Amino acid sequence: MISRLIRLVSRLPATVHAKLLAAFLTIVVVLIMVGTVGLEALSRVNRGAQDLVNLQRKIAAYRQLQHDTTSQLYAVSAALVVPEESALDATLRQLNQFGYDLDRLQFVAKDEVELLGQVRDDYEKFIQVVTRVIDMIREGKAAEGREVQFKEAGPLADHLERLTNQLVNRAEADMLASIEAGQTTYANSRWIVVTIAAASILLALVLGYVISWSLIDPVRHMDQRLQEIASGDFSRHVTVANRDELGTLATNLNRMNDELKVLYEQLEAANRHKSRFLASVSHELRTPLNAIIGFSRLILRKTGGQIPDLQRANLQKVLISGEHLLTLINGLLDLSKIEAGKMEVLPEAVELAEVLDGAASTVEPMLTNGQVRLIREIAPDVPPLYTDREKLRQIVLNLLSNAAKFTEQGEIRVLAWRQNGWLKLQVADSGIGMEPEALTHIFEEFRQVGSSSTLRSRGTGLGLAITRQLVGLLGGEISVQSDVGKGSTFTVVLPIRFNGSKPRG
Amino acid sequence: MPMQKKILVVEDGEFNRDLMLQLLGDDYEVVLAGDGREGLRKAEQERPDLILMDLGLPLLDGWETTRRIKRDPALKGIPIIAVTSHAMVGDESKAREAGCDEYLAKPIDADELMRAIRRFV
C-alpha cells in the first residue's frame, strides 16, 4: 500500500520542488481546517452562553411577574382591610409596575407570543377588576369590593400565576435543552478537532515518508549503479520510476554509462592492440638481434689475437649495444605481459634472506670496485613470506641494479622489517639522487634520470616502471625519496601473505 | 674419431641459419632447412640425431612440422629443441604441447645451446 503510494508519487510528472510545495500546502490546508472547526465550535459555545443568559433573564422576568401578581393581590387585600388612601395609591402604583413587567416580557420572550397574549388579556382584566375594587373601596362599598375581589380578582390572579408558571417551566426546559445542546456541541467539536488533528499528523507523516522515499530510493539505486560503473561494470542501466529531476538524473546517468562503455571498450581495444603490437615488435626484433649478438660473440670468441685491439673493442661495443637492446626488448615484453594481464602471480613460501642474497650476488659485480659497500639488514621479526618468488627477486634486483648504477661511492643499504602486518623493504643508496620534479615521473616508462648526460646510466628506462607494476601485482606499493647529491631511498610495502587482491589495475 | 652427430637446423632467417652453422659446424654435422616443408623432408631423408626448430616458419609452421615429425613412427624418436623468438607467456607450453622436448628463446646463448644439445645427443 505504502510502496504503491511511493511509486505513484515517483511517477508524478512534477518537479521535486512542486511535490514538496504541494505536500506543505496540503498540511497547511488541514491546519486551517482544524482552526476553522475550532473557531466554529467556539462561536457555537458563545451563542449557547448568550442563549443561557437570555433564558436566565426571561426566567427572572417571569418570576418578577409572579411576584408582582402575588404582591398585587396582597396589596388589594390589605387595602380592603385598611381602606386608606395611601394604601390604595400604593396598589395602583403596583398595578403600573405590573404593566412595566409585561412590557419588558415582550422584549425578553418574543417567541412566546400566544402565552404572552393570554397574560396580557388576563392582566387587562385584572387591572379592570382591581381598579373597580379600589373604586368601590373609595366609595365606601367595602363589602361589595371584597365580593368582587374574591370572585373575580382571585381567579384571575390564579390564572395569571398558572400562565407565568407555564412560562417559567418552558424557559427552564429551554435552558436545560440549551445546556444539553451545548454539551453535545462541545463533545462533537472536540471529536472533530481531535480527529482532524490526528488525521493531519498522519497525513504529514505519510506525505513525509512517501515523498522522502520517492527521493531516497532512486538516489540509492543511482548510487549503487555509480559504484558499479566505478568498478568497470557498464552492463546495466538504472531504472527509476521518477519523472522529476531524479528521473532526468537517471537518464543522464544511463547516457554517461553508455558513453563510458563505448570509451572503455575503445580504450581496451587500443590497449589490447598496444600489447599485441609490443609483443610482435619484441618478437620481430629478436630475430635480427639473434644474428647481431650471435655473430658478435662468435667473432670475439674465434678471432683471438687476429684483429686489432681497437676493432675488437668496437665489436665489443656492438655486442654491448645488442645486449642492451635485448634488455630493452625483454622489458617491453614484461610490461606488455603485465599490462595485458598475462602475468600470473604464483605465490609460495619465500625466505626474504635467500632472495636478497641471490639479488646481491648478481649486483655485486656491477658495484664500482671496492668503493661501494652493499649492506643487508633483515629485522628478526620478518616472518617467511608467502608471495611470488621470481617477481620478488626481480623487484629487489631492479632496485639494487638501479642503486648500483647511480652510486659511485658509499653504500647501498637494503633494510627489511615488519610494520603493521606488512613487509617494508627499503633500498637506500648514497648515489647522485634526483631532482624533486624527476621523482613524480620516476615510475613511468622511459623516464630515466640523466640518461643522456651520464655515461654510466645504461638502464633501459623500463626497470622502475616494471618494478612498480610487479609490486602492484604482489598487492603492494612503492615510493621514493631523494636528495640531489645525497642519494635515493626506494621503499616497497608488500603484504606478508599474498592474498590475490590487486590494488592497481 | 667417432662419427659426428647430425643436427637438422630448421630456420627461415638466412643469417641465423648461417650463425647456427658456424656455432655447431665444428662439433656436429649440420643440415639446414629454410622452411617447415623442407625441414620435414630433410628429417625424413637425413634422419638427424637432433632437430633445432624455429617456430615461426613459412609454408609449414614449426609447431605443425614438429607435430608431423612426432606422429611419424620412424621419426618420433628424434629430440626437437624449439629455438624461437616467440617469448610470450604460453609460447613455451604451446611448443611443448606440439611435441618439442626443449625450448630456447632467441637470442641464442651459445653455451646454453650447447648444454641443451648435449643433454640429448
Side-chain angles (χ1 to χ4, degrees), chain A residues 188-260:
Chain A
N188 282 345
S189 306
R190 189 177 56 181
W191 190 83
I192 291 172
V193 168
V194 167
T195 306
I196 295 182
S200 67
I201 290 172
L202 194 69
L203 186 71
L205 285 178
V206 168
L207 282 178
Y209 186 86
V210 165
I211 289 185
S212 54
W213 274 104
S214 79
L215 303 179
I216 294 169
D217 231 32
V219 167
R220 281 194 181 166
H221 275 114
M222 285 187 269
D223 179 49
Q224 193 197 347
R225 190 65 205 109
L226 275 174
Q227 281 177 17
E228 286 169 8
I229 291 174
S231 61
D233 173 10
F234 303 105
S235 61
R236 276 191 330 112
H237 271 186
V238 66
T239 44
V240 302
N242 297 50
R243 290 200 237 161
D244 48 23
E245 290 91 329
L246 291 172
T248 317
L249 187 61
T251 311
N252 286 333
L253 179 63
N254 287 336
R255 216 167 53 215
M256 183 195 80
N257 176 74
D258 296 345
E259 291 284 326
L260 277 178

Side-chain angles (χ1 to χ4, degrees), chain A residues 95-114:
Chain A
L95 268 183
N96 286 336
Q97 177 65 42
F98 202 61
Y100 296 148
D101 287 346
L102 266 181
D103 290 343
R104 207 171 112 210
L105 272 186
Q106 271 181 325
F107 295 106
V108 174
K110 289 179 199 138
D111 43 350
E112 308 284 1
V113 182
E114 199 190 330

Side-chain angles (χ1 to χ4, degrees), chain A residues 261-282:
Chain A
K261 186 181 182 180
V262 171
L263 282 176
Y264 189 78
E265 279 165 358
Q266 285 173 350
L267 204 65
E268 263 196 335
N271 206 38
R272 267 199 308 276
H273 185 255
K274 187 191 84 174
S275 295
R276 257 204 317 274
F277 176 74
L278 273 175
S280 50
V281 162
S282 93

Side-chain angles (χ1 to χ4, degrees), chain A residues 187-425:
Chain A
N188 282 345
S189 306
R190 189 177 56 181
W191 190 83
I192 291 172
V193 168
V194 167
T195 306
I196 295 182
S200 67
I201 290 172
L202 194 69
L203 186 71
L205 285 178
V206 168
L207 282 178
Y209 186 86
V210 165
I211 289 185
S212 54
W213 274 104
S214 79
L215 303 179
I216 294 169
D217 231 32
V219 167
R220 281 194 181 166
H221 275 114
M222 285 187 269
D223 179 49
Q224 193 197 347
R225 190 65 205 109
L226 275 174
Q227 281 177 17
E228 286 169 8
I229 291 174
S231 61
D233 173 10
F234 303 105
S235 61
R236 276 191 330 112
H237 271 186
V238 66
T239 44
V240 302
N242 297 50
R243 290 200 237 161
D244 48 23
E245 290 91 329
L246 291 172
T248 317
L249 187 61
T251 311
N252 286 333
L253 179 63
N254 287 336
R255 216 167 53 215
M256 183 195 80
N257 176 74
D258 296 345
E259 291 284 326
L260 277 178
K261 186 181 182 180
V262 171
L263 282 176
Y264 189 78
E265 279 165 358
Q266 285 173 350
L267 204 65
E268 263 196 335
N271 206 38
R272 267 199 308 276
H273 185 255
K274 187 191 84 174
S275 295
R276 257 204 317 274
F277 176 74
L278 273 175
S280 50
V281 162
S282 93
H283 169 226
E284 295 301 328
L285 288 177
R286 265 162 206 275
T287 307
L289 207 53
N290 190 45
I292 294 170
I293 293 174
F295 279 113
S296 304
R297 285 190 187 143
L298 202 63
I299 297 168
L300 286 170
R301 187 185 296 177
K302 298 222 165 164
T303 50
Q306 297 169 36
I307 48 172
D309 281 352
L310 179 62
Q311 299 315 322
R312 190 180 174 78
N314 286 346
L315 192 58
Q316 197 88 43
K317 283 171 190 161
V318 172
L319 181 59
I320 287 169
S321 301
E323 282 167 348
H324 184 192
L325 193 54
L326 180 63
T327 322
L328 192 64
I329 291 165
N330 283 340
L332 276 175
L333 202 61
D334 281 347
L335 259 184
S336 73
K337 276 189 224 169
I338 296 170
E339 285 181 357
K342 287 186 176 171
M343 188 79 93
E344 262 184 293
V345 178
L346 304 165
E348 58 181 318
V350 179
E351 281 293 341
L352 183 61
E354 284 176 21
V355 174
L356 289 192
D357 289 348
S361 64
T362 310
V363 172
E364 259 155 0
M366 292 168 61
L367 300 175
T368 313
N369 298 333
Q371 302 276 3
V372 180
R373 283 199 311 148
L374 182 59
I375 299 163
R376 273 167 280 161
E377 282 175 29
I378 302 178
D381 65 343
V382 172
L385 310 173
Y386 181 76
T387 189
D388 189 310
R389 180 192 304 273
E390 182 47 38
K391 292 180 181 55
L392 181 62
R393 194 191 67 84
Q394 210 177 331
I395 291 167
V396 174
L397 188 59
N398 283 357
L399 290 178
L400 281 182
S401 320
N402 193 64
K405 249 181 326 198
F406 296 109
T407 309
E408 283 186 321
Q409 55 181 7
E411 58 187 31
I412 298 170
R413 297 172 73 90
V414 184
L415 306 176
W417 71 99
R418 189 184 175 151
Q419 191 172 314
N420 300 330
W422 293 72
L423 172 72
K424 280 222 169 185
L425 187 67

